[in-house]
Amino acid sequence: MTKTLHHRACHLCEAICGLSIEVGRDDDGRSRILSIKGDPLDPFSRGHVCPKAVALQDIQDDPDRLRQPHKRVGEQWQAIDWEEAFALAADRLWAVQQAHGRNAVAVYQGNPSVHNYGLMTHSNYFLGLLKTRNRFSATSVDQLPQHLTSHLLYGHGLLLPIPDIDHTDFMLILGGNPLASNGSIMTVPDVEKRLKALRARGGRLVVVDPRRSETAAMADQHLFVRPGGDAALLCALLNTLFTEGLARGSHLPVNGLQQLREAIAPFSAEAMSAHCGIGAAQIRQLARDFAAADKAVCYGRMGVSTQVFGTLCHWLVQVINLVSGNLDREGGALCTEPAVDLVASTAGGHFNAWQSRVSGLPEYGGELPVAALAEEILTPGEGQVRALVTVAGNPVLSTPNGRQLDQALADLDFMLSIDLYINETTRHADLILPSTSALENDHYDSTFNLLAVRNVTRFNRAILAKPEGALHDWEIFVGLAQAFARRAGVELRPTLAPSRMIDHALRSGRYGEASDWNLSLATLEQHPHGLDLGPLRANLGRRLATASNAVEVAPQLLLDDLQRLARQAPPAPGELLLIGRRHVRSNNSWMHNFHRLVKGKPRHQLLMHPQDLRQRHLQDGQRVRISSRTGILEVEVQACEDMMPGVVSLPHGFGHARLGVHLRVAQAQAGVSANDLTDERLRDPISGNAALNGVPVQIEAA
Ligand SMILES: Nc1nc2c(c(=O)[nH]1)N[C@H]1C(S)=C(S)[C@@H](COP(=O)(O)OP(=O)(O)OC[C@H]3O[C@@H](n4cnc5c(=O)[nH]c(N)nc54)[C@H](O)[C@@H]3O)O[C@H]1N2
Ligand SMILES: Nc1nc2c(c(=O)[nH]1)N[C@H]1C(S)=C(S)[C@@H](COP(=O)(O)OP(=O)(O)OC[C@H]3O[C@@H](n4cnc5c(=O)[nH]c(N)nc54)[C@H](O)[C@@H]3O)O[C@H]1N2
Ligand code: SF4
Ligand SMILES: [Mo]
């Protein structure tokens, strides 16, 4: 056997870790992975790796993974060839649109759509031809409030300021657990090391979370917050900055500061304390500590996005950074300057240009909130959704009231899924088109370089040869586009391979031919460990894309939403609120089929504070019945001192015990789906983003 060593970025989560992968080639010419390790020569990740990296090998070898197109025939699946598959998809989608209009075909794009570069470059080549307004994605169960905030304040939804974690003196984290997630909208491999370094240089880490998470456990201070209470806390922090004279000027041009001051005046720490469950004196002290730090940054993530005040929260996070003088400043929050810059190559976006048919939810950037998907399928009338295309997604497990969506999918006239597996969602498809695996693909990370705590760049070739008869995701989209264009009689513009597109973008980008870096695909291929382009620097001033060229700090939409917060009822006595959690060995819904990740004790129990158990005469380890407006589940409860009393936690992405799912390892420890309890009617009304956290539930013995 011959052995070769390859360097390659992992792109399973947002962290971009460099890997060293040893591949053996047998005498019969077959290649297999011998080992996957962290790459110490990667200047960004410096050898860091998490257990999920080994999943790359498991995906490669998984006997459950589909390797050619599969067509449904009754309750059976039949393997077919690509030409037949493309023609079938085109015929059926075209027929639905002919009979019921363009919007009768809906699209859902899942999370790997932004992790796989061929999906980034080519999914729209086909999906754009459908010209449907019913486009949905995982964005609206995730970071939509962050895009909308940047759109309103800075004029571009991708001008997302990233915490300058390596240079800050004070980091305030709300609703993020980077020790489990490895960072999000903050690409930061080896985050634990970087947070330890922050503390070693005398800085402070404060975490606000209803659970003492892994990150909270290593912080200088952890504050339990009532789920959904962050907007109240953030208002009170901002109010304290203003009333105690702690605000600092910003070098950025700003509009609306006076309106902001006036609007926030009623939201004192004393008035907000009950809503967030944190004492007024503690809130005021936190504001003083934050303001006293030379360089500080406030960072909010999933826990504050996916709640009923999601957009208000992310607006307040930005405003606190601005008002404390930390926006667009070293050690504060900075926008990246990546080698391939989606900010430069895309328009600023639009919001609320149209609304969803049934509930009138606003579009953002051409997408509607996915909380509306099931009702668009289930509600009869002009414009009803009759067919669905899913791409790299599992909305039955990942979107609110997944059980309702599960039932709705069974009603469709046609469903096409581009996915590697027959999972809880794709089991409803009429046709599944599987792509090559990650290691059979080239990769350039156009998404997460944009969100990284340093300006970094790398391109890696595929490590394993593409198997005979297999297609990459981008080739599947080209095949679908060609077949659909033929069917619809429209002309298709020519396209390039993703690597050619990246080469063009690199050459014309800010580190391209016009700079000393002279970056191109060829230069990056000479740097297989990746290239460090330097720390983040202030740049927002010259990149603001608002009509006024100033930061619009007080959008009327958000000032108005403060009234919703002011009207909020105080917590009901005995309330029990459901939140989620992530584990470093799991990734949303699709990594439970890999032995090496799921081995050991189960990790999908319901966590509950012992005091809440006692009050309900429940025992640790017992099976309980948990119910919400949308569903009832039975699950094992685990006593956990790390939970805030009145709050229970269940991870999402489980619930694999459904008929027809072909994930044999995952089904051995199926668990239940948290999204059978979450409620599609519980949303942030500003963005329409789902409120997956802070769901009212009841619990009793099963
Ligand atoms: N209750 C609750 N719900 C949540 C969350 C939560 O915290 N709590 N988190 C939300 C978040 S942040 C997200 S991002 C969503 C994720 O939700 P989704 O994106 O809907 O689901 P995933 O589990 O990421 O499913 C990914 C799918 O892509 C397939 N896949 C993987 N790689 C590829 C590839 O290269 N090509 C193709 N074609 N397919 C591929 C997998 O087989 C899998 O079916 O879940 C959301 N749902
Ligand atoms: N291992 C692993 N890594 C992942 C993923 C994964 O599934 N597994 N998913 C990837 C994806 S798609 C994403 S989007 C990122 C997400 O990255 P993070 O945002 O860091 O994700 P979570 O671990 O869900 O952290 C959310 C935290 O918010 C807390 N929380 C819940 N409700 C509230 C609330 O009302 N207020 C406050 N302040 N906190 C609250 C939860 O207790 C939890 O600790 O992770 C990515 N990385
Ligand atoms: S943290 Fe783990 S899953 Fe994420 S990029 Fe690094 S190795 Fe891959
Ligand atoms: Mo996500």
Side-chain angles (χ1 to χ4, degrees):
M1 177 196 285
T2 54
K3 295 181 185 177
T4 45
L5 190 63
H6 300 260
H7 303 291
R8 156 95 192 194
C10 174
H11 50 86
L12 293 174
C13 85
E14 303 180 29
I16 324 187
C17 296
L19 305 176
S20 296
I21 303 182
E22 196 174 26
V23 178
R25 215 175 144 81
D26 292 330
D27 298 335
D28 64 5
R30 282 162 50 104
S31 297
R32 60 197 163 90
I33 307 291
L34 300 175
S35 70
I36 299 182
K37 294 192 179 123
D39 176 6
L41 297 180
D42 180 305
F44 192 37
S45 63
R46 307 175 293 199
H48 175 77
V49 73
C50 90
K52 286 185 296 301
V54 300
L56 289 168
Q57 179 174 357
D58 295 337
I59 299 167
Q60 193 58 38
D61 300 335
D62 191 348
D64 290 347
R65 177 158 67 87
L66 300 180
R67 289 158 208 267
Q68 70 188 100
H70 277 67
K71 172 172 93 167
R72 168 184 301 286
V73 183
E75 290 309 301
Q76 303 295 315
W77 290 101
Q78 182 192 333
I80 58 173
D81 69 35
W82 286 104
E83 282 318 309
E84 184 186 345
F86 293 145
L88 174 65
D91 285 348
R92 297 291 300 272
L93 293 171
W94 174 246
V96 168
Q97 287 194 320
Q98 283 300 98
H100 307 290
R102 280 172 173 162
N103 298 335
V105 174
V107 170
Y108 173 83
Q109 288 182 272
N111 171 268
S113 301
V114 292
H115 290 264
N116 170 329
Y117 95 137
L119 285 177
M120 284 292 291
T121 54
H122 280 79
S123 48
N124 228 22
Y125 192 61
F126 165 60
L127 299 175
L129 294 178
L130 297 173
K131 293 196 163 57
T132 171
R133 286 192 164 180
N134 279 312
R135 290 192 65 157
F136 304 87
S137 81
T139 290
S140 49
V141 278
D142 192 344
Q143 80 290 1
L144 173 57
Q146 286 176 267
H147 294 307
L148 181 54
T149 299
S150 285
H151 172 73
L152 295 172
L153 269 59
Y154 313 132
H156 198 298
L158 292 177
L159 275 174
L160 296 160
I162 308 301
D164 190 11
I165 189 170
D166 290 338
H167 304 107
T168 194
D169 302 322
F170 194 112
M171 188 159 179
L172 171 59
I173 300 182
L174 301 102
N177 183 15
L179 256 59
S181 67
N182 287 294
S184 183
I185 320 271
M186 171 176 71
T187 286
V188 52
D190 77 357
V191 65
E192 186 172 5
K193 232 191 246 169
R194 290 173 202 257
L195 288 175
K196 282 183 175 158
L198 155 70
R199 299 191 57 210
R201 62 177 180 267
R204 266 172 82 79
L205 172 64
V206 179
V207 174
V208 175
D209 199 302
R211 180 171 78 92
R212 190 178 302 106
S213 65
E214 293 78 356
T215 311
M218 73 165 290
D220 297 278
Q221 187 184 9
H222 167 226
L223 296 166
F224 278 130
V225 66
R226 176 175 168 249
D230 304 83
L233 168 65
L234 290 161
C235 276
L237 289 173
L238 183 59
N239 176 287
T240 308
L241 292 179
F242 281 140
T243 56
E244 297 194 7
L246 302 171
R248 275 189 253 174
S250 170
H251 63 282
L252 295 166
V254 179
N255 271 345
L257 213 49
Q258 191 50 33
Q259 286 112 296
L260 174 72
R261 249 178 202 278
E262 285 163 17
I264 223 73
F267 296 88
S268 67
E270 290 69 23
M272 292 295 99
S273 169
H275 292 290
C276 58
I278 301 175
Q282 262 185 315
I283 298 175
R284 286 185 179 274
Q285 191 56 48
L286 179 57
R288 290 173 199 142
D289 293 346
F290 190 84
D294 178 24
K295 301 162 181 167
V297 63
C298 179
Y299 161 76
R301 203 39 209 109
M302 270 297 285
V304 292
S305 277
T306 52
Q307 53 150 287
V308 287
F309 290 108
T311 308
L312 210 51
C313 283
H314 279 291
W315 170 56
L316 291 162
V317 165
Q318 296 303 317
V319 170
I320 285 173
N321 285 332
L322 176 88
V323 163
S324 63
N326 288 298
L327 180 65
D328 195 40
R329 178 164 173 260
E330 188 190 315
L334 290 162
C335 290
T336 60
E337 295 175 282
V340 172
D341 193 353
L342 300 176
V343 175
S345 62
T346 59
H350 42 83
F351 171 60
N352 207 11
W354 63 85
Q355 295 78 31
S356 70
R357 179 181 60 108
V358 179
S359 287
L361 301 187
E363 66 78 37
Y364 170 79
E367 281 184 13
L368 293 166
V370 70
L373 175 55
E375 68 186 17
E376 292 296 335
I377 301 172
L378 292 169
T379 312
E382 173 91 28
Q384 182 182 6
V385 168
R386 310 290 282 263
L388 176 68
V389 181
T390 72
V391 181
N394 193 0
V396 165
L397 294 193
S398 56
T399 67
N401 199 354
R403 201 47 92 165
Q404 178 183 251
L405 182 64
D406 202 357
Q407 284 154 8
L409 296 185
D411 276 358
L412 290 169
D413 295 345
F414 180 69
M415 180 169 156
L416 163 67
S417 293
I418 294 103
D419 206 289
L420 309 172
Y421 287 100
I422 305 174
N423 64 22
E424 298 71 17
T425 298
T426 61
R427 71 188 176 119
H428 294 291
D430 298 285
L431 179 62
I432 307 180
L433 307 181
S435 56
T436 48
S437 75
L439 297 178
E440 292 159 357
N441 264 301
D442 302 339
H443 189 63
Y444 185 88
D445 216 316
S446 46
T447 313
F448 298 105
N449 286 326
L450 182 77
L451 307 175
V453 300
R454 289 186 70 87
N455 291 310
V456 288
T457 185
R458 71 187 293 157
F459 173 79
N460 297 128
R461 289 283 174 199
I463 286 179
L464 300 171
K466 186 164 88 166
E468 171 117 11
L471 293 183
H472 297 309
D473 277 296
W474 74 271
E475 294 171 318
I476 295 175
F477 283 97
V478 171
L480 286 169
Q482 286 169 342
F484 191 82
R486 254 195 318 272
R487 197 71 192 72
V490 297
E491 210 176 321
L492 197 60
R493 65 192 153 82
T495 184
L496 298 172
S499 59
R500 296 275 306 280
M501 289 185 180
I502 294 296
D503 188 43
H504 281 292
L506 285 168
R507 286 169 187 276
S508 59
R510 59 168 68 81
Y511 309 90
E513 281 161 354
S515 84
D516 293 343
W517 289 94
N518 199 11
L519 290 190
S520 65
L521 213 56
T523 36
L524 290 194
E525 290 202 74
Q526 289 159 17
H527 297 276
H529 307 283
L531 263 183
D532 183 45
L533 303 168
L536 305 188
R537 292 164 309 174
N539 61 50
L540 187 58
R542 63 187 148 79
R543 297 172 76 196
L544 288 169
T546 50
S548 59
N549 280 322
V551 176
E552 292 295 344
V553 77
Q556 195 57 45
L557 188 67
L558 298 174
L559 295 185
D560 293 346
D561 202 36
L562 282 173
Q563 298 317 309
R564 182 168 61 101
L565 180 64
R567 284 195 309 270
Q568 197 194 19
E575 75 173 5
L576 207 50
L577 300 176
L578 175 71
I579 63 168
R581 69 177 183 274
R582 285 178 157 75
H583 191 280
V584 75
R585 302 185 76 90
S586 180
N587 193 25
N588 295 324
S589 76
W590 71 284
M591 287 198 196
H592 300 144
N593 210 44
F594 309 130
H595 279 289
R596 279 175 293 183
L597 288 182
V598 294
K599 70 179 180 207
K601 56 179 172 28
R603 285 182 279 267
H604 48 74
Q605 297 94 335
L606 181 74
L607 304 182
M608 190 173 195
H609 193 274
Q611 175 187 315
D612 287 327
L613 284 171
R614 271 196 304 279
Q615 271 173 9
R616 289 167 183 78
H617 309 289
L618 300 170
Q619 310 286 327
D620 178 30
Q622 174 177 352
R623 283 191 76 74
V624 296
R625 184 170 302 133
I626 173 167
S627 56
S628 69
R629 183 190 75 83
T630 60
I632 304 178
L633 297 174
E634 280 191 18
V635 60
E636 189 185 307
V637 71
Q638 188 175 319
C640 180
E641 300 270 358
D642 292 331
M643 291 307 300
M644 182 177 186
V647 184
V648 291
S649 159
L650 193 66
H652 74 287
F654 290 90
H656 306 296
R658 294 174 205 223
L659 212 62
V661 170
H662 190 63
L663 296 162
R664 286 170 290 184
V665 176
Q667 288 189 307
Q669 284 211 10
V672 292
S673 174
N675 285 317
D676 289 345
L677 295 168
T678 57
D679 188 340
E680 83 284 10
R681 296 186 199 161
L682 216 54
R683 299 182 293 251
D684 164 29
I686 301 300
S687 62
N689 203 62
L692 305 169
N693 287 302
V695 180
V697 291
Q698 295 82 43
I699 292 178
E700 56 188 19

